[in-house]
Amino acid sequence: MKKHNFYAGPSILSEYTIRQTADAILNFEGTGLSLMEISHRSKQFVAVCDQARALIKELLHVPEDFEVVFLGGGASLQFAMVPFNFLETKAAYLDSGYWASKAIKEAKLFGEVQIVGSSKDDNYSHLPKNYQVPSDADYFYFCSNNTIYGTELHEDPHPGVPVIADMSSDIFSRPIDFSSYGLIFAGAQKNLAPSGVTLVIVRKSMLDKVSRPIPTILNYKTHVENESMFNTPPVVPIYAALQTLLRYKELGGIEVIHDMNKQKAALLYEEIDTNPLFKGTVTCKEDRSLMNVCFVMSEGYEHLEDEFDKYASEAGMVGIKGHRSVGGFRASIYNAMPIASVQALVDTMRSFAQLKTQK
Ligand SMILES: *Cc1c(COP(=O)(O)O)cnc(C)c1O
């Protein structure tokens, strides 16, 4: 039976990415060697890394004054690297969920953190609204897509200070207006590659600004100057990332992918809103994520949760259980998710409702 992979991360990758990477692991570009056993400084691998960085710039229309680097340590290392490199006195943070609050915890080690908005009291079921960013903040930090709660900010903010964003779970899902950004980062394992590499896009004028000494490996400048080869980079995830990017280009670019994502999300939210058994957990519809769709059983049907879980898994749905802090279900429908799989989930929800509501 076909499996439909709705895991939140690591998550679905295109068959193209997986096959190309598998081939390169067996024989990398006809060298007779595995991708895993050649020097990261070989001309073949340097070309892979350079091409991947160039394609990111091309696909996202990254302006000239930004640099693209690949780092290790996951998105979580960025929670500490960002304040280490940029927080001189005070930074503004938006508390929109689990990942944002982890970043806030790290930033407090480096300076004053002003939480300008929080939706914690509502269990992060919407984005914080109507907040003010102080003009003397070193930067404004936010998480663009809250993977666990299914909320997403669909526009790029322009608060008047440099903006830093955790885009781990929605990068490449929509075009980005870079005009206010100082830095964007994303762990690879949602829309790019297997885990192990983190993408950082940083404005050059942000580098070298704080007065504290920064360990060499934690300084963004090191990685910019060494073109992601300061130490051995994660070669297999970078190769896989290049394959994903080539596929994005072939599909027509990020604008086309954005349209596809809107269609997929609309299909699933429409079912959640009309099926009597289910309801969405995000309380402001404009905050609904295109990537992570959270829903629970409606009032009166709560007792059917485990039964639906089993019913859906028997229909081939994998990874739809919600995060423990929200409960219910979460369908992650990243770029690589075909609309046919979303339709399969919708059909499953519909047939389950028919089964349960017919007398
Ligand atoms: C998955 C995720 C992370 C964590 O990434 P790691 O690579 O495991 O550190 C951080 N932020 C967001 C928004 C995520 O979705």
Side-chain angles (χ1 to χ4, degrees):
M1 183 182 48
K2 172 154 175 56
K3 297 284 186 192
H4 304 282
N5 181 1
F6 291 97
Y7 272 121
S11 47
I12 187 168
L13 290 168
S14 72
E15 193 178 324
Y16 180 81
T17 296
I18 294 170
R19 283 194 184 280
Q20 291 286 109
T21 307
D23 286 351
I25 285 174
L26 294 174
N27 183 356
F28 176 54
E29 291 181 1
T31 54
L33 299 172
S34 169
L35 169 63
M36 298 189 295
E37 58 178 4
I38 63 150
S39 170
H40 58 294
R41 299 193 191 281
S42 63
K43 70 172 190 310
Q44 294 95 332
F45 187 76
V46 170
V48 166
C49 196
D50 288 349
Q51 197 189 352
R53 292 189 306 140
L55 260 179
I56 288 165
K57 285 191 167 173
E58 180 185 330
L59 286 165
L60 289 176
H61 312 295
V62 179
E64 276 300 306
D65 52 334
F66 284 78
E67 292 281 353
V68 175
V69 285
F70 294 119
L71 302 180
S76 298
L77 178 61
Q78 300 307 306
F79 300 162
M81 259 176 94
V82 161
F84 215 145
N85 282 262
F86 305 133
L87 208 178
E88 186 71 33
T89 48
K90 178 167 91 175
Y93 275 70
L94 196 65
D95 176 24
S96 60
Y98 178 84
W99 296 114
S101 59
K102 285 199 137 184
I104 289 167
K105 175 170 178 254
E106 299 306 309
K108 285 178 175 167
L109 298 171
F110 298 92
E112 186 190 338
V113 172
Q114 189 170 333
I115 297 171
V116 292
S118 174
S119 48
K120 188 174 184 198
D121 291 346
D122 297 324
N123 197 33
Y124 300 118
S125 57
H126 57 87
L127 293 174
K129 301 273 158 73
N130 303 319
Y131 50 86
Q132 290 293 321
V133 175
S135 58
D136 60 344
D138 295 320
Y139 59 85
F140 167 64
Y141 178 104
F142 80 111
C143 177
S144 56
N145 184 66
N146 299 284
T147 321
I148 290 176
Y149 301 92
T151 59
E152 182 176 17
L153 188 62
H154 300 282
E155 296 103 47
D156 301 290
H158 302 284
V161 299
V163 178
I164 294 182
D166 175 359
M167 294 200 181
S168 293
S169 52
D170 66 347
I171 192 142
F172 302 117
S173 70
R174 63 165 174 92
I176 299 168
D177 167 6
F178 279 86
S179 56
S180 291
Y181 285 108
L183 182 145
I184 288 169
F185 67 87
Q189 65 271 25
K190 280 95 182 193
N191 263 340
L192 190 58
S195 62
V197 67
T198 306
L199 165 63
V200 171
I201 306 174
V202 60
R203 191 187 288 268
K204 278 180 265 187
S205 61
M206 293 289 288
L207 303 172
D208 242 352
K209 290 244 290 252
V210 286
S211 54
R212 73 174 64 85
I214 304 171
T216 313
I217 195 166
L218 297 180
N219 195 328
Y220 289 113
K221 195 176 165 210
T222 304
H223 301 283
V224 167
E225 285 176 348
N226 290 277
E227 304 193 323
S228 304
M229 297 274 179
F230 170 67
N231 66 321
T232 317
V235 293
V236 174
I238 290 174
Y239 186 86
L242 173 59
Q243 308 315 307
T244 301
L245 295 162
L246 288 166
R247 170 120 184 97
Y248 289 168
K249 184 168 174 171
E250 192 186 282
L251 285 170
I254 303 307
E255 293 75 9
V256 173
I257 290 168
H258 188 210
D259 285 339
M260 291 160 60
N261 286 333
K262 284 193 274 194
Q263 273 180 38
K264 287 186 284 178
L267 178 63
L268 187 49
Y269 283 119
E270 168 75 12
E271 183 62 22
I272 290 167
D273 289 341
T274 53
N275 188 316
L277 265 63
F278 301 99
K279 65 168 192 193
T281 61
V282 175
T283 53
C284 297
K285 285 196 178 172
E286 74 269 20
D287 296 345
R288 284 173 157 183
S289 170
L290 297 184
M291 298 282 102
N292 310 96
V293 178
C294 295
F295 55 101
V296 291
M297 306 305 301
S298 306
E299 284 92 60
Y301 295 106
E302 295 93 340
H303 61 288
L304 294 176
E305 184 172 316
D306 288 346
E307 203 183 323
F308 177 70
D309 194 38
K310 187 158 170 281
Y311 183 83
S313 75
E314 280 164 5
M317 310 298 140
V318 180
I320 60 165
K321 226 176 164 39
H323 190 270
R324 61 189 179 282
S325 52
V326 180
F329 302 96
R330 169 178 53 176
S332 297
I333 53 173
Y334 296 117
N335 284 359
M337 169 71 59
I339 195 160
S341 288
V342 180
Q343 185 64 55
L345 175 58
V346 164
D347 292 345
T348 302
M349 293 164 76
R350 214 168 276 175
S351 64
F352 186 72
Q354 263 158 20
L355 206 66
K356 293 296 159 187
T357 54
Q358 73 198 2
K359 294 286 169 299

